[in-house]
Amino acid sequence: MNAPKISTKPPSGMRDFLPADIARRQHVIDVVRRIYGSYGFVPLETPAIENLSTLLGKYGEEGDQLLYRLLHRRDALHRGLEAGAKLVAGLPEDARGSVGEDPSREARTDVRLYESQLADQGLRYDLTVPLARVAAQYDLPKYFKRYQIQPVWRADRPGKGRFREFYQCDVDVTGTSSLVAEAEVCGAVAEVLHALGFTDFKIRVNHRQLLRAMMHHAGIDLAHEAAALVAIDKLDKIGQGGVLEELATRGIDTETANKLMLLVLTADGEQLFGFDLNQVAQGPKTPIKRVRKQITDPIGIKALDELDELFDLLAATPAGPHIQLSLDLARGLGYYTGSIFEIAVPDLAGSLGGGGRYDNLVGMFGKKQVPAVGFSLGLERILVVMEERGMFPNLSIGPDVLLCWMEGTPRAEALRVAHSLRRQGIKVEVFPEEAKLGKQLQYADAPGVKAPVAAIVGSEELKAGQVTLKHLASGTQERVALEGAGEAVRALMRQ
Amino acid sequence: MNAPKISTKPPSGMRDFLPADIARRQHVIDVVRRIYGSYGFVPLETPAIENLSTLLGKYGEEGDQLLYRLLHRRDALHRGLEAGAKLVAGLPEDARGSVGEDPSREARTDVRLYESQLADQGLRYDLTVPLARVAAQYDLPKYFKRYQIQPVWRADRPGKGRFREFYQCDVDVTGTSSLVAEAEVCGAVAEVLHALGFTDFKIRVNHRQLLRAMMHHAGIDLAHEAAALVAIDKLDKIGQGGVLEELATRGIDTETANKLMLLVLTADGEQLFGFDLNQVAQGPKTPIKRVRKQITDPIGIKALDELDELFDLLAATPAGPHIQLSLDLARGLGYYTGSIFEIAVPDLAGSLGGGGRYDNLVGMFGKKQVPAVGFSLGLERILVVMEERGMFPNLSIGPDVLLCWMEGTPRAEALRVAHSLRRQGIKVEVFPEEAKLGKQLQYADAPGVKAPVAAIVGSEELKAGQVTLKHLASGTQERVALEGAGEAVRALMRQ
């Protein structure tokens, strides 16, 4: 065939996972699944494809833009093009950025109209909105504790450590406003990190209603609230000066901005940028007391009461020693209504995960109101840090044994020996082609194969019901009965 | 919030998997992974999104149409609409089915042109083409034995048991033409089915080159070959009469059609539709002998030689007792070049899986030629049959213990008891809200929760460092030291 050369790379922002990658990913996923399960969470999976009506408007304007949309098929596409063209034709001339003009101009209403006509399905953007849809659709247990480990897709600009397809590992509790639910999701996530070997993480905690009260206290009006939140959320990245500058740019006067900044620093003080876990362990409740002196708004007082109680509960979970009140934490997703969380480690700019309470999201699906809280761990972020720190145990991939066969050995006999070893619990790869023994042994040690033991079958072995085992690292070799060969292989692998 | 009611169902052809579904899916996937691993296959995963250039032209015209395409984002969409419009404008008037006309008319060239301009990425359609891309891209072991268990997407009309998102469980060997590779993939698949409890499956085997020789022998010219293959592939669904009718419709004269049909029946004879494994066990090689008498074409003789040898090898694997030569088997995918396989069970119209040799696919990516063979199991098909036959073991989902707490118990103390039990290997759900004990115990038995044991914590238990365990099925109750409570829970669960 004379096909033109096609690029064999995965698309930009996507990755292939070769066996060694999968071993590491599977190691983390197995731990997550085991710990989440031990907390009584049960697994859920939802389809990659959702209706756009489910996804749109849940993640903010930026999120809407990052959704992957699926092109209609033929007939629907025909109708979509037609409807898009009609919509564009109906626009006043000056609102149109018609096809053929500079694509960078502002008023590209036509493209947006076409977009809405050409697609009505998109790819999953996170695991929280699908859970909310599921909670509205099915007759679930009153307190539904679910975990979900699946990929999500965002058409973001790819960059270092930023992918367009990545896995989230979510735990959520729906159906209760009890802070026990917050404590359970934070406890589960902390225990996952412990089980993976993390000790130096902090779980930053804030509260959406406390943030509102702070805004109110500082004198920021409703119109500027969202902008101010975005600015203070960057405190750990751009520092106080940076935040004050950004607040000014966003039209907040100096006095107000300073007031807000002072309030944020009330909680964190000098430890804001530090990772001194001893200080954290003194108790995250001291900062709450300091903030109480500033906040008079009833909404704020209620939020502080909740945090107070939550921190007591968290002290009884593995999350306890890691908790830190972080008044600069805002988190971008629009659907949070109460406590919010984020996990930080010193050697990663982004977070390992985040979460919070979202009591209105299920209700957005137009049926009952169902309170909910959850936490999401980012698999890729965890893997990056574990890789850099060398935190992975020795993960075996590939076969235990490469089965080699001497010239003249019937291949069916080699397959029978392989079958017998597999029955004894050994992972066996059969060398597929006729080749000199030396070449076969060399292959056992090849990159990506790395079988620790070779099993050699020739006419003598077959006659005696035996197999020759060769430990490749030491070169030692022994002939054993095929029947007990599994044990012998295991013994060699322990060498 | 007063949002309009949004549909909470998953999109057509897509499914949500609730915890009990996941337990069954995970059970099968765990078995597949264990057995594939024991055959020395190593895991690979590829992204859901591929470039359309990778996917197009690999699955035939029908496959191309069933690909999910991802809409370009804003700027690229703008350019795409523009380019599409230009292409359509450049068409002669009569070749255009312009926007605004009846969408059912034949010449909708404009839509196809737009389609190619609006998207250049699509969703994974199977796991074989991505493997071929990977084999062309990376420096893999010479004989790369990989397994891959991931969802694929096809924009097919949904129907009973036909989904638009479904999982495939593939094993493939790249890098060798040796029939040992065929034997290994068939052996692994048969062993998976055995491990799941299947005994009555047959693995139907045919050979693409033998099919060509049969066509030649019957006198079917190249132009009618594809159509004839499609027809005889339906033999087990529509019977001899149906196939002959379809051959006639497709322009093949009666004599030729009869000749082809006789040839097909040479192998299968009266056992074609039966599931008499005793007959199969007599040896699949007898039919090969019968076919040999008919075929004189060297390509056909070579194919028969290969099948002969392959059946000898398969006899040494768990696939052996299930093999059946099936000359009516053609399989739709265009990329097969040698042996082809399909798994049938009596109580399912479709197949549980299929595969074959595809020696030219990796080469289609424009680099080296790499021979390959593989087998794909359909997770959903397996689940359907296992469900209908009641083949699942008792799969525990949900917590072992519901932790209940008496009024007045500090919630932090309840969380501490839960933590202690989890440390002892018990899956614990904590009742999140204040409620009468009776209500809590009732919840332990609720659908979707079904904890077998309740652990009750009150002031007396806390004082004594104990916990009360209640076995819900029998109602028996005992108070035990918290320290050894894990063992006690396990004992109760065995009751």
Side-chain angles (χ1 to χ4, degrees), chain A residues 87-310:
Chain A
L87 279 167
V88 172
L91 284 178
E93 195 58 41
D94 60 347
R96 255 187 270 163
S98 77
V99 166
E101 286 178 41
D102 172 16
S104 69
R105 59 168 286 186
E106 276 289 334
R108 282 210 309 285
T109 324
D110 58 342
V111 173
R112 240 161 295 165
L113 288 176
Y114 264 110
E115 195 177 54
S116 66
Q117 293 299 324
L118 298 179
D120 60 7
Q121 298 188 330
L123 295 185
R124 189 167 57 211
Y125 182 89
D126 75 353
L127 304 178
T128 310
V129 168
L131 169 64
R133 178 182 60 69
V134 163
Q137 169 72 15
Y138 303 95
D139 205 15
L140 300 173
K142 181 167 193 315
Y143 313 115
F144 186 51
K145 298 180 72 172
R146 87 88 175 78
Y147 71 85
Q148 188 166 354
I149 304 171
Q150 286 192 287
V152 301
W153 295 269
R154 299 183 186 176
D156 213 342
R157 303 222 171 273
K160 191 177 172 294
R162 273 242 293 254
F163 305 105
R164 289 176 165 178
E165 174 181 66
F166 56 95
Y167 271 66
Q168 296 191 325
C169 310
D170 281 27
V171 263
D172 292 78
V173 186
T174 66
T176 181
S177 306
S178 165
L179 293 171
V180 168
E182 265 90 343
E184 290 273 88
V185 296
C186 291
V189 161
E191 188 136 342
V192 163
L193 293 176
H194 287 165
L196 291 172
F198 286 93
T199 53
D200 62 345
F201 60 95
K202 56 181 185 185
I203 303 180
R204 306 172 68 217
V205 181
N206 202 359
H207 197 294
R208 271 284 165 98
Q209 304 312 321
L210 180 58
L211 279 168
R212 299 209 69 181
M214 285 164 60
M215 297 288 157
H216 188 234
H217 175 86
I220 291 170
D221 57 36
L222 222 73
H224 287 89
E225 222 178 87
L229 279 181
V230 171
I232 67 158
D233 197 41
K234 295 181 183 167
L235 181 56
D236 58 351
K237 286 178 202 84
I238 60 177
Q240 291 180 41
V243 172
L244 289 174
E245 219 169 282
E246 185 154 337
L247 286 170
T249 315
R250 288 166 183 271
I252 291 161
D253 65 80
T254 314
E255 197 190 343
T256 308
N258 280 334
K259 213 168 166 190
L260 180 63
M261 180 58 69
L262 272 175
L263 200 50
V264 168
L265 295 178
T266 313
D268 300 307
E270 73 285 0
Q271 78 178 30
L272 180 64
F273 307 102
F275 263 83
D276 185 344
L277 283 181
N278 284 325
Q279 279 200 30
V280 176
Q282 277 176 16
K285 299 190 63 173
T286 314
I288 294 183
K289 279 186 202 131
R290 286 204 297 268
V291 180
R292 273 197 193 279
K293 291 181 189 144
Q294 311 283 328
I295 296 289
T296 51
D297 189 313
I299 291 176
I301 292 172
K302 186 158 173 283
L304 284 164
D305 289 347
E306 266 189 42
L307 287 175
D308 224 333
E309 198 181 342
L310 176 58

Side-chain angles (χ1 to χ4, degrees), chain A residues 1 3 5-6 8-11 14-19 22 26 33 37-40 42-51 53 58 65 68-71 73-75 77-78 81-82 97-101 103 108 111-112 114-115 118 121 123 133-134 136-138 141-143 145 153 155 165 167 176 178 180 183-184 191 309 313 315-316 318 360 364-365 367 398 411-412 415-416 419 422-423 426-433 443 447-449, chain B residues 1 3 5-6 8-11 14-19 22 26 33 37-40 42-51 53 58 65 68-71 73-75 77-78 81-82 97-101 103 108 111-112 114-115 118 121 123 133-134 136-138 141-143 145 153 155 165 167 176 178 180 183-184 191 309 313 316 318 360 364-365 367 398 411-412 415-416 419 422-423 426-433 443 447-449:
Chain A
M1 300 195 195
K5 189 165 135 179
I6 305 167
T8 54
K9 282 188 202 140
M14 312 281 160
R15 293 159 298 162
D16 295 316
F17 299 116
L18 299 184
I22 300 286
Q26 199 61 48
R33 201 182 277 155
S38 82
Y39 274 73
V42 289
L44 175 80
E45 290 183 11
T46 59
I49 299 174
E50 293 276 1
N51 292 318
S53 59
K58 309 301 188 304
Q65 283 202 37
Y68 273 105
R69 292 161 158 82
L70 293 163
L71 192 63
R73 288 195 58 212
R74 295 281 158 83
D75 282 5
L77 178 58
H78 189 280
L81 282 164
E82 189 176 355
S98 77
V99 166
E101 286 178 41
R108 282 210 309 285
V111 173
R112 240 161 295 165
Y114 264 110
E115 195 177 54
L118 298 179
Q121 298 188 330
L123 295 185
R133 178 182 60 69
V134 163
Q137 169 72 15
Y138 303 95
K142 181 167 193 315
Y143 313 115
K145 298 180 72 172
W153 295 269
E165 174 181 66
Y167 271 66
T176 181
S178 165
V180 168
E184 290 273 88
E191 188 136 342
E309 198 181 342
L313 294 184
N360 297 329
M364 283 176 78
F365 287 93
K367 301 184 179 175
R411 294 188 292 178
L415 288 171
R416 275 198 189 90
H419 184 56
R422 286 167 185 154
R423 276 288 153 98
I426 304 297
K427 295 193 281 180
V428 182
E429 172 162 355
V430 179
F431 194 87
E433 299 180 346
Y443 184 70
V449 183
Chain B
M1 302 195 193
K5 190 165 136 180
I6 306 167
T8 53
K9 283 189 201 139
M14 310 282 160
R15 292 159 299 161
D16 295 315
F17 298 116
L18 299 185
I22 300 287
Q26 198 62 48
R33 200 182 277 153
S38 82
Y39 275 73
V42 290
L44 175 79
E45 291 183 10
T46 60
I49 300 174
E50 293 277 1
N51 291 320
S53 58
K58 310 301 188 301
Q65 283 201 39
Y68 273 106
R69 292 161 158 81
L70 293 162
L71 191 62
R73 289 196 57 213
R74 296 281 157 82
D75 282 4
L77 178 58
H78 190 280
L81 283 164
E82 189 177 354
S98 76
V99 167
E101 287 176 40
R108 283 209 310 284
V111 174
R112 240 160 294 165
Y114 264 111
E115 196 178 53
L118 298 179
Q121 298 188 330
L123 295 185
R133 178 182 59 70
V134 163
Q137 169 71 14
Y138 303 95
K142 181 167 193 315
Y143 312 116
K145 296 180 73 171
W153 295 270
E165 174 182 66
Y167 270 66
T176 180
S178 164
V180 167
E184 290 273 87
E191 186 135 344
E309 198 180 342
L313 293 184
N360 296 331
M364 283 177 79
F365 288 93
K367 301 184 179 176
R411 294 188 292 178
L415 288 171
R416 275 199 189 89
H419 183 57
R422 286 166 184 155
R423 276 288 152 97
I426 304 298
K427 295 193 280 181
V428 182
E429 171 162 355
V430 179
F431 194 86
E433 300 180 346
Y443 184 70
V449 182

Side-chain angles (χ1 to χ4, degrees), chain A residues 328-346:
Chain A
D328 57 313
L329 177 67
R331 287 188 66 71
L333 291 172
Y335 48 61
Y336 291 121
T337 55
S339 52
I340 44 179
F341 321 111
E342 201 166 272
I343 297 180
V345 286

Side-chain angles (χ1 to χ4, degrees), chain B residues 36-43 145-147 171-173 184-185 188:
Chain B
Y36 283 177
S38 82
Y39 275 73
F41 292 93
V42 290
K145 296 180 73 171
R146 86 90 175 75
Y147 70 85
V171 263
D172 292 78
V173 185
E184 290 273 87
V185 297

Side-chain angles (χ1 to χ4, degrees), chain B residues 153-266:
Chain B
W153 295 270
R154 298 182 186 178
D156 214 341
R157 302 223 170 273
K160 190 175 173 293
R162 272 242 293 255
F163 305 106
R164 290 177 164 176
E165 174 182 66
F166 55 95
Y167 270 66
Q168 295 192 324
C169 310
D170 281 27
V171 263
D172 292 78
V173 185
T174 66
T176 180
S177 306
S178 164
L179 293 172
V180 167
E182 266 89 345
E184 290 273 87
V185 297
C186 291
V189 161
E191 186 135 344
V192 163
L193 292 176
H194 286 166
L196 291 172
F198 286 92
T199 53
D200 61 345
F201 61 94
K202 55 182 184 185
I203 303 179
R204 306 172 68 217
V205 181
N206 201 359
H207 197 293
R208 271 285 163 98
Q209 304 312 320
L210 179 57
L211 279 168
R212 299 209 70 183
M214 285 163 61
M215 298 289 155
H216 189 233
H217 174 87
I220 291 169
D221 55 35
L222 223 72
H224 287 89
E225 221 179 88
L229 279 181
V230 171
I232 66 157
D233 198 41
K234 296 181 183 166
L235 182 56
D236 58 351
K237 286 178 201 84
I238 60 177
Q240 291 180 44
V243 171
L244 289 173
E245 220 169 283
E246 184 153 338
L247 287 170
T249 315
R250 289 167 182 273
I252 291 160
D253 65 80
T254 314
E255 196 191 342
T256 308
N258 281 335
K259 211 168 168 191
L260 181 63
M261 179 57 71
L262 271 175
L263 200 49
V264 168
L265 296 179
T266 314

Side-chain angles (χ1 to χ4, degrees), chain B residues 152-424:
Chain B
V152 301
W153 295 270
R154 298 182 186 178
D156 214 341
R157 302 223 170 273
K160 190 175 173 293
R162 272 242 293 255
F163 305 106
R164 290 177 164 176
E165 174 182 66
F166 55 95
Y167 270 66
Q168 295 192 324
C169 310
D170 281 27
V171 263
D172 292 78
V173 185
T174 66
T176 180
S177 306
S178 164
L179 293 172
V180 167
E182 266 89 345
E184 290 273 87
V185 297
C186 291
V189 161
E191 186 135 344
V192 163
L193 292 176
H194 286 166
L196 291 172
F198 286 92
T199 53
D200 61 345
F201 61 94
K202 55 182 184 185
I203 303 179
R204 306 172 68 217
V205 181
N206 201 359
H207 197 293
R208 271 285 163 98
Q209 304 312 320
L210 179 57
L211 279 168
R212 299 209 70 183
M214 285 163 61
M215 298 289 155
H216 189 233
H217 174 87
I220 291 169
D221 55 35
L222 223 72
H224 287 89
E225 221 179 88
L229 279 181
V230 171
I232 66 157
D233 198 41
K234 296 181 183 166
L235 182 56
D236 58 351
K237 286 178 201 84
I238 60 177
Q240 291 180 44
V243 171
L244 289 173
E245 220 169 283
E246 184 153 338
L247 287 170
T249 315
R250 289 167 182 273
I252 291 160
D253 65 80
T254 314
E255 196 191 342
T256 308
N258 281 335
K259 211 168 168 191
L260 181 63
M261 179 57 71
L262 271 175
L263 200 49
V264 168
L265 296 179
T266 314
D268 299 308
E270 72 286 0
Q271 78 178 30
L272 181 65
F273 307 102
F275 264 84
D276 185 344
L277 283 181
N278 284 325
Q279 279 200 31
V280 177
Q282 278 175 16
K285 298 190 65 173
T286 314
I288 294 183
K289 278 185 204 132
R290 285 203 299 268
V291 179
R292 272 195 194 281
K293 290 180 191 146
Q294 311 283 328
I295 297 288
T296 52
D297 188 313
I299 291 177
I301 292 171
K302 189 161 171 280
L304 284 164
D305 289 347
E306 266 190 42
L307 288 175
D308 224 334
E309 198 180 342
L310 175 58
F311 285 15
D312 281 339
L313 293 184
L314 287 171
T317 76
H322 304 279
I323 296 299
Q324 188 186 60
L325 182 66
S326 300
L327 297 183
D328 57 314
L329 177 67
R331 288 190 64 72
L333 291 171
Y335 47 63
Y336 291 121
T337 55
S339 52
I340 44 180
F341 320 111
E342 201 166 271
I343 296 181
V345 286
D347 45 348
L348 186 80
S351 69
L352 289 187
R357 177 166 282 281
Y358 49 99
D359 285 347
N360 296 331
L361 187 59
V362 180
M364 283 177 79
F365 288 93
K367 301 184 179 176
K368 59 207 161 173
Q369 282 289 354
V370 178
V373 62
F375 216 125
S376 175
L377 284 173
L379 179 62
E380 276 70 16
R381 301 291 184 80
I382 291 175
L383 287 165
V384 162
V385 177
M386 288 183 71
E387 182 71 37
E388 284 179 3
R389 296 186 185 180
M391 288 168 68
F392 290 107
N394 197 2
L395 298 167
S396 112
I397 51 162
D400 304 324
V401 162
L402 180 74
L403 192 98
C404 306
W405 37 291
M406 310 294 279
E407 216 174 320
T409 307
R411 294 188 292 178
E413 295 304 323
L415 288 171
R416 275 199 189 89
V417 172
H419 183 57
S420 167
L421 288 171
R422 286 166 184 155
R423 276 288 152 97
Q424 296 175 56

